[in-house]
Amino acid sequence: MKFLIAVGSKKYSEPTLRVGMQVAKAFGASVTILYVGPKVSAFSSSQVRLARESMDRWEIEHPGVEVLEWAFNFLAENNYITPKMIEAGFQKNTLVTTRGDRCELFLQGAVCEDVNLILRNGDIIPELRDEVAKGKYNVTIIGGSKKRRMAHDLVQYINSSIFIVKEFNHEIGYRLLMATDDSTGTKKAVKFGARVSQAFDMPIDILTVSKKSFFGSGYREASKKASTLIRRAGIDGEVQLKVGDPVDVIVESAGQDHIIVMGASTANPVKKFFIGSKPLKVMSDCECPILIVK
Amino acid sequence: MKPLFILKNPFGFLSCHIKCNFPTRMLRILNQYTTNLIYGITRSRWLVAAFLIGFILFLLPSPEGLTVDGYRTIIIIIVALILIITEPIPLPGIALLIIILQVYFGIADANHVAHSFMNDAVFFIMGSLMLAVAIVQQGWDARIALGIIRLTGNSTLKISIGFIVISAVMSSFIGEHTVAAMMLPIGMTLIRYTSDDKTKVKNLAALLLFSIAYGSLIGSIGTPSGGGRNAIMMVYWKEFGLAPISYGKWMLMVYPLVLLQLPLLTWILWKSFVPEYLMLDSGIRKLKVQVARSGMIQPQQYFAVFLFFLVFLGWIFYSETVGLGIIALTGVVMYLVTGLAKWEEMSKHVNWGVVILFGATISLGTMVNETGAAQWIAGQVLNFAGEFVSSIPVFTDLIIVLMTTTLANILSSSATVAVLAPITLNLPGDSIHIGLITAIASAFGYFTAVAAPACTIIYASGMIKAKDFLKAGWKVGATSILMVLIYANIFWKLFG
């Protein structure tokens, strides 16, 4: 499995990196930590390159390298990379430039497979989309954004599961809120959620919400399958069946002490673009981390 | 409770290719294609909008008093401006679109478009970009650093003044992008070795880096070789049959303004970004180490400066005869022949797509003038503000400055002059006066990171935020606008 953790700055991305690495460790996944720097105007790109080469001669690192260095230090402090790597320290000169302005640093992972640090420049969505497409990542982990359009674009256009580490507080004892319904995405989400729960020893609340006062067979079946799976996996949890607007009920039930897990919408992309989808609305409204499994 | 089993690979659970039934599989593939299509459309929304606007305008009749060719040229300008600002397709693509549309719209035949596409201003832009590579790679930045700190000592204020003055003087002759590329490592060394923590040197970084960028921008108006925009104006004066001015006369008319602006810039930057450190002891120590590491000055470094001095003399004495661009290219040839620069390096660092785009915008500017579109737009501007223009002559200058500054901050300074100058040169008044005002105002790219390469270079250092440009930019911009209006209407009148 391959995880991509997108970090922005030292100030805001610490929880994203911490949670992302914990999840990756649980799965023994190969991890890439990506920083996307500001876009450079095409008018001046060659002059900027020239200036950066001057900076190289003066041994001043490119902007963004300090974010990678911070990520390296984080990995070293938490022993996510091998002692040999920690001892060698952050080697700026081993940053390899690949595909234009994309720089890459390879590290040997201690608790998971390889860890790569990548630096790119440009608009966040196209850069992430390109990285995910070329690297074939299973999960993209990113911090919350206040921009509604950004949230939509992440879920809609990034071709991997998305874990948004929103309003994360490491002092809270989180529970997992698994939103189930009769959609095909639910099955995969349940399985992924159960794996996360096992890794973190986190109890699961299985929540099924119906708009009508009764629950159709598909909803009951989904809830039952999920509860069977978590019981067989030895995970503590409870099953809840609630009536109301699914988005409101999920957000309200999640509060601030849950990590929401739900399947991605399988609705028509055109409809999703204009009207939105349940996962998207939940993601916008919730005040806790959310994992949308694709 | 001991788990009965461990879930190992949740993503293998629903591996679509193996376990999904055929309709579900097809639906997923269809959804993926639709998503990609929507993504493509949303990324290209400005391309669609530009074409749609262009198509609607194309269907409408041309306004009264404007020729069909003139109207179509204006449509191309509108489409090109939307595309250049929003960049939904690569810049060279926009350049090629401008060229082919001129032919398809019947504005000019292919040979005429090709002729208008390549002229001395494009040679100059090409030459100055190549010269920048040759100069930057000589390693003179260490010597400049040493020169500055010898004059200024450790005082932050004096270093800021040194940066402003040196950047301004050098950018008058070698272009602001070259100066910014050479000065950036000096500034960054001082900042990084004053404190590792970016947050503790925010103001210091802004002060030093804006000193470089704004100093370079102000200096770049001082001579015709200060930037591509000045060279474009020189070519337009010639091509439109207006009286061009010599290199020396440009300097004589504009350089006092440069000198007047520098103290004001120093004051504004110092007040806008009060530095966290008033003395830069550790930064200066590191800078001295860096200079010492670069060793003695090599004979070829002196020779490189001598060659550039020859280019400078050529601009002063022969630019009227052979053109600024040809002299810049002569300099490039000299660097290549003497082995001081390698073609591979030059070619790698010159963005040929941008050169093509400048060629295309200059071609468009020529068509705007030839088709009468420039006169028509100028006429509309005069109709809009007719009484003000006749009663307050400075008002024409104000209109030019505001139009040029606005466009330069969202487009690019050279492209702004290429498109706007044919229009401003058709406004009533002395063509030299108006041309110089346009060229000067195009350097007022203080508000955004995209307006000028010097601004983009300091922005790309990661030490400056976009909002910092507004914080200091509006003050420098407002002062510059005011100064140019007063200066042009007092000093140039006295100068005759």
Side-chain angles (χ1 to χ4, degrees):
Chain A
M1 279 180 74
K2 291 180 83 178
F3 279 34
L4 179 73
I5 305 174
V7 292
S9 65
K10 297 176 201 174
K11 194 176 169 186
Y12 298 109
S13 296
E14 203 269 343
T16 310
L17 189 55
R18 185 173 295 280
V19 174
M21 284 309 298
Q22 281 174 356
V23 178
K25 183 183 169 186
F27 283 91
S30 165
V31 181
T32 295
I33 298 167
L34 170 74
Y35 171 70
V36 180
K39 187 182 176 187
V40 173
S41 160
F43 269 109
S44 310
S45 57
S46 60
Q47 287 99 321
V48 169
R49 209 162 43 240
L50 190 64
R52 284 187 175 164
E53 282 189 12
S54 293
M55 282 166 61
D56 283 344
R57 281 200 299 276
W58 284 68
E59 295 171 3
I60 299 167
E61 66 269 25
H62 292 196
V65 172
E66 77 279 1
V67 179
L68 299 191
E69 188 171 7
W70 160 76
F72 176 91
N73 292 335
F74 175 88
L75 296 173
E77 277 166 24
N78 294 283
N79 297 314
Y80 285 123
I81 47 177
T82 58
K84 199 175 146 192
M85 285 276 153
I86 297 170
E87 202 178 315
F90 183 67
Q91 302 282 324
K92 289 168 197 166
N93 52 359
T94 54
L95 265 169
V96 181
T97 304
T98 51
R99 301 204 304 261
D101 282 343
R102 181 180 178 276
C103 295
E104 199 165 1
L105 183 68
F106 300 98
L107 302 169
Q108 281 177 341
V111 291
C112 40
E113 287 178 38
D114 295 345
V115 183
N116 296 335
L117 303 178
I118 291 177
L119 171 62
R120 300 179 68 133
N121 281 290
D123 290 329
I124 181 88
I125 296 295
E127 295 298 323
L128 266 179
R129 187 177 148 88
D130 184 61
E131 195 62 46
V132 169
K134 292 201 170 114
K136 296 189 173 21
Y137 292 94
N138 301 103
V139 184
T140 302
I141 301 168
I142 190 166
S145 168
K146 284 176 183 154
K147 293 178 191 163
R148 199 179 172 86
R149 195 72 228 168
M150 166 92 102
H152 168 272
D153 289 357
L154 274 171
V155 176
Q156 183 88 335
Y157 302 133
I158 306 298
N159 196 15
S160 74
S161 297
I162 304 281
F163 185 17
I164 295 167
V165 187
K166 192 177 174 186
E167 314 274 346
F168 183 79
N169 183 348
H170 63 88
E171 287 173 0
I172 294 177
Y174 280 97
R175 292 173 71 89
L176 218 69
L177 183 75
M178 203 180 269
T180 60
D181 59 17
D182 57 354
S183 67
T184 50
T186 291
K187 290 175 187 172
K188 201 169 173 180
V190 166
K191 206 140 196 223
F192 192 89
R195 184 71 184 89
V196 173
S197 166
Q198 277 184 332
F200 294 101
D201 197 19
M202 202 183 275
I204 296 180
D205 295 331
I206 297 168
L207 176 65
T208 309
V209 187
S210 173
K211 278 183 185 171
K212 298 166 194 164
S213 55
F214 65 95
F215 288 82
S217 61
Y219 278 49
R220 283 201 306 273
E221 188 73 12
S223 177
K224 195 178 161 191
K225 274 187 179 172
S227 68
T228 307
L229 190 135
I230 67 160
R231 197 183 62 247
R232 289 178 64 196
I235 301 165
D236 292 337
E238 58 180 67
V239 177
Q240 299 171 7
L241 296 169
K242 290 185 180 176
V243 175
D245 177 70
V247 173
D248 293 342
V249 173
I250 292 170
V251 170
E252 196 185 323
S253 305
Q256 293 179 328
D257 59 351
H258 280 84
I259 295 176
I260 302 171
V261 179
M262 59 195 303
S265 167
T266 48
N268 185 324
V270 180
K271 189 181 155 193
K272 278 195 278 185
F273 181 78
F274 288 108
I275 300 168
S277 64
K278 259 189 275 183
L280 186 63
K281 285 173 186 162
V282 171
M283 192 179 80
S284 305
D285 297 349
C286 71
E287 292 174 348
C288 60
I290 176 169
L291 170 66
I292 296 171
V293 182
K294 283 189 183 173
Chain B
M1 188 169 68
K2 194 181 169 189
L4 294 174
F5 66 96
I6 299 285
L7 303 163
K8 280 193 176 164
N9 183 10
F11 290 96
F13 181 65
L14 266 183
S15 180
C16 183
H17 299 288
I18 301 164
K19 301 209 171 172
C20 290
N21 57 30
F22 184 72
T24 313
R25 220 165 95 189
M26 291 315 291
L27 186 68
R28 286 193 174 199
I29 292 169
L30 184 68
N31 276 355
Q32 191 55 50
Y33 275 112
T34 316
T35 302
N36 289 345
L37 185 70
I38 293 172
Y39 176 75
I41 293 170
T42 53
R43 294 299 300 169
S44 313
R45 59 188 182 278
W46 284 107
L47 180 70
V48 176
F51 281 152
L52 204 66
I53 291 167
F55 183 68
I56 292 168
L57 289 174
F58 188 79
L59 294 179
L60 296 174
S62 59
E64 204 181 312
L66 181 63
T67 61
V68 174
D69 286 350
Y71 180 56
R72 289 178 179 179
T73 310
I74 291 173
I75 294 173
I76 299 176
I77 290 179
I78 293 167
V79 171
L81 286 182
I82 295 171
L83 295 180
I84 293 171
I85 293 165
T86 57
E87 274 185 54
I89 56 171
L91 292 181
I94 302 168
L96 299 177
L97 188 72
I98 293 171
I99 294 167
I100 59 171
L101 281 181
Q102 288 182 59
V103 179
Y104 286 137
F105 278 8
I107 297 165
D109 62 34
N111 285 334
H112 188 51
V113 172
H115 180 256
S116 64
F117 174 80
M118 188 53 84
N119 60 29
D120 190 58
V122 183
F123 282 161
F124 177 80
I125 289 164
M126 246 162 57
S128 69
L129 290 173
M130 289 191 264
L131 280 177
V133 180
I135 293 166
V136 170
Q137 291 188 338
Q138 299 309 316
W140 269 97
D141 40 8
R143 307 294 145 200
I144 294 166
L146 195 62
I148 292 173
I149 56 174
R150 270 188 188 153
L151 287 171
T152 62
N154 298 5
S155 154
T156 308
L157 175 63
K158 286 182 183 170
I159 290 170
S160 165
I161 294 170
F163 275 21
I164 289 173
V165 173
I166 293 287
S167 302
V169 172
M170 288 200 308
S171 72
S172 298
F173 307 103
I174 58 175
E176 30 119 354
H177 53 281
T178 319
V179 176
M182 286 166 81
M183 296 290 289
L184 183 67
I186 305 172
M188 289 295 285
T189 304
L190 289 175
I191 297 160
R192 286 280 166 92
Y193 291 97
T194 296
S195 172
D196 274 345
D197 188 348
K198 258 190 188 180
T199 56
K200 287 182 182 163
V201 284
K202 259 165 54 181
N203 281 359
L204 175 71
L207 175 71
L208 296 184
L209 298 183
F210 278 118
S211 296
I212 295 169
Y214 288 174
S216 303
L217 279 176
I218 288 175
S220 70
I221 64 174
T223 72
S225 62
R229 50 187 177 267
N230 303 351
I232 293 171
M233 187 54 76
M234 295 287 269
V235 166
Y236 278 169
W237 273 324
K238 222 178 222 179
E239 278 194 1
F240 299 167
L242 306 166
I245 59 171
S246 66
Y247 195 95
K249 194 176 176 190
W250 179 304
M251 274 186 77
L252 218 54
M253 287 182 79
V254 182
Y255 226 88
L257 178 63
V258 174
L259 300 177
L260 285 172
Q261 279 190 280
L262 296 184
L264 273 172
L265 173 67
T266 310
W267 184 75
I268 291 171
L269 288 181
W270 186 258
K271 289 287 169 194
S272 303
F273 304 106
V274 179
E276 295 84 354
Y277 295 85
L278 295 176
M279 303 298 278
L280 304 180
D281 298 327
S282 54
I284 291 286
R285 266 198 303 277
K286 179 66 187 176
L287 202 61
K288 283 179 179 169
V289 171
Q290 285 287 356
V291 175
R293 263 195 214 164
S294 62
M296 298 287 287
I297 305 175
Q298 300 298 312
Q300 66 263 29
Q301 287 178 304
Y302 282 118
F303 191 55
V305 174
F306 173 70
L307 285 187
F308 189 79
F309 184 66
L310 290 182
V311 172
F312 173 59
L313 290 180
W315 277 331
I316 291 179
F317 296 110
Y318 296 105
S319 59
E320 277 183 275
T321 325
V322 294
L324 288 164
I326 292 295
I327 291 167
L329 291 180
T330 309
V332 173
V333 172
M334 287 195 295
Y335 277 105
L336 287 172
V337 168
T338 52
L340 287 169
K342 288 186 178 147
W343 171 251
E344 291 75 21
E345 284 297 312
M346 283 185 174
S347 177
K348 191 174 102 184
H349 288 101
V350 173
N351 189 340
W352 296 103
V354 171
V355 175
I356 297 172
L357 183 68
F358 283 138
T361 50
I362 290 169
S363 163
L364 197 55
T366 308
M367 294 307 164
V368 170
N369 192 56
E370 286 182 5
T371 57
Q375 292 90 319
W376 184 81
I377 297 172
Q380 297 303 310
V381 173
L382 288 177
N383 282 345
F384 180 71
E387 284 186 22
F388 284 106
V389 170
S390 51
S391 55
I392 316 165
V394 187
F395 200 75
T396 312
D397 293 350
L398 181 65
I399 292 171
I400 295 169
V401 170
L402 291 180
M403 280 197 310
T404 314
T405 305
T406 307
L407 204 55
N409 275 282
I410 53 174
L411 192 62
S412 136
S413 48
S414 299
T416 297
V417 173
V419 175
L420 214 56
I423 297 162
T424 59
L425 287 172
N426 273 289
L427 289 169
D430 176 44
S431 61
I432 299 290
H433 178 103
I434 288 173
L436 282 177
I437 292 267
T438 309
I440 291 169
S442 71
F444 295 167
Y446 308 117
F447 306 92
T448 62
V450 299
C455 292
T456 313
I457 286 170
I458 64 157
Y459 176 63
S461 72
M463 303 296 288
I464 303 279
K465 293 205 161 51
K467 65 180 180 191
D468 291 331
F469 281 90
L470 277 179
K471 189 179 172 185
W474 79 265
K475 297 174 199 165
V476 183
T479 317
S480 298
I481 290 171
L482 202 64
M483 280 190 74
V484 77
L485 293 176
I486 296 169
Y487 177 83
N489 287 282
I490 295 175
F491 184 79
W492 288 346
K493 291 231 164 87
L494 289 174
F495 197 79

